[in-house]
Amino acid sequence: TESFAGYLPLHIACYKNASADVIDCLVREFPEGLSVEDYFGDIPMDIIRKGCNLNKEAILDASASAKLYAENKALKQTTEKLRSKCDDLEATLGEVQNRCDFLEEVAEKTQSKYSEVVFESGNRMELIENKRLENQALAFAVATKDRELSLLRKSRVEEELFDEEETKDVKTKYTL
């Protein structure tokens, strides 16, 4: 939170030449504070660089370490969210597969029943037309479920690619 003059606790700690441990603790609690400007337009690192603190290098190192910790924590949270979404997609994919299996069973039973009815019925043309319409409806239902399954698989692959790209971006950022 800001003080009355627009300073974060991190700004005040930097002005007061606080220890590296204090700076580290404040950054870990609110990493966004590293990019917040104070009343004079300085971010905390500017204040430390301009100051005459004897622990300047240790504080800068602690700040960088805390920033990496916060970014890593955010990355882990994003990864957990993506894993949760993947689990949800896998569950939905299982449901779609179960629906497809059920529709196949219905189609087989319908075919079996159809054979019995045709055998017993004298009006074969009417039964053939009815069966054709039923098969069209079942084929449409199966095609719809196949499209749903395909979209779910595509979505999962895109999320995995997104996760890989995000990991590469983070690795690239820290190697620079």
Side-chain angles (χ1 to χ4, degrees), residues 131-172:
K131 183 58 181 173
R132 186 184 67 77
L133 293 174
E134 286 176 8
N135 284 340
Q136 282 179 345
L138 287 172
F140 177 77
V142 168
T144 300
K145 294 304 173 187
D146 283 344
R147 274 186 251 127
E148 287 177 9
L149 184 62
S150 175
L151 289 173
L152 286 170
R153 286 181 179 146
K154 181 179 178 185
S155 174
R156 183 172 181 200
V157 167
E158 289 173 353
E159 284 185 9
E160 288 173 357
L161 289 174
F162 173 78
D163 190 31
E164 288 176 14
E165 287 298 317
E166 188 175 286
T167 302
K168 286 178 185 176
D169 288 346
V170 170
K171 286 181 180 177
T172 301

Side-chain angles (χ1 to χ4, degrees), residues 10-11 20 29 34 37 50-51 53 80 86 105 109 131 140 142 150 158 161:
L10 183 58
H11 290 106
E29 286 301 315
L34 288 170
E37 294 180 352
K50 291 177 184 178
N53 192 320
E80 286 304 315
C86 284
E105 283 181 38
K109 288 179 182 177
K131 183 58 181 173
F140 177 77
V142 168
S150 175
E158 289 173 353
L161 289 174

Side-chain angles (χ1 to χ4, degrees), residues 21 25 27 30 39 41 52 56 60 82 86 88 105 113 117 120 132 140 152-153 155 161 164 175:
D21 290 337
C25 179
V27 173
F30 188 62
Y39 180 75
C52 58
K56 187 184 294 188
L60 291 172
L82 288 173
C86 284
D88 292 346
E105 283 181 38
K113 189 70 173 173
V117 170
E120 296 171 3
R132 186 184 67 77
F140 177 77
L152 286 170
R153 286 181 179 146
S155 174
L161 289 174
E164 288 176 14
T175 9

Side-chain angles (χ1 to χ4, degrees), residues 53-106:
N53 192 320
L54 298 175
N55 295 324
K56 187 184 294 188
E57 293 302 318
I59 291 172
L60 291 172
D61 288 346
S63 176
S65 172
K67 186 175 181 181
L68 288 175
Y69 171 82
E71 289 173 352
N72 188 36
K73 184 178 175 183
L75 182 61
K76 284 180 181 179
Q77 289 172 345
T78 301
T79 301
E80 286 304 315
K81 287 178 185 176
L82 288 173
R83 282 186 182 139
S84 175
K85 286 181 183 181
C86 284
D87 291 344
D88 292 346
L89 285 173
E90 285 179 3
T92 303
L93 184 62
E95 291 173 14
V96 169
Q97 185 61 48
N98 289 341
R99 289 179 190 163
C100 288
D101 293 344
F102 172 75
L103 288 173
E104 287 176 6
E105 283 181 38
V106 168

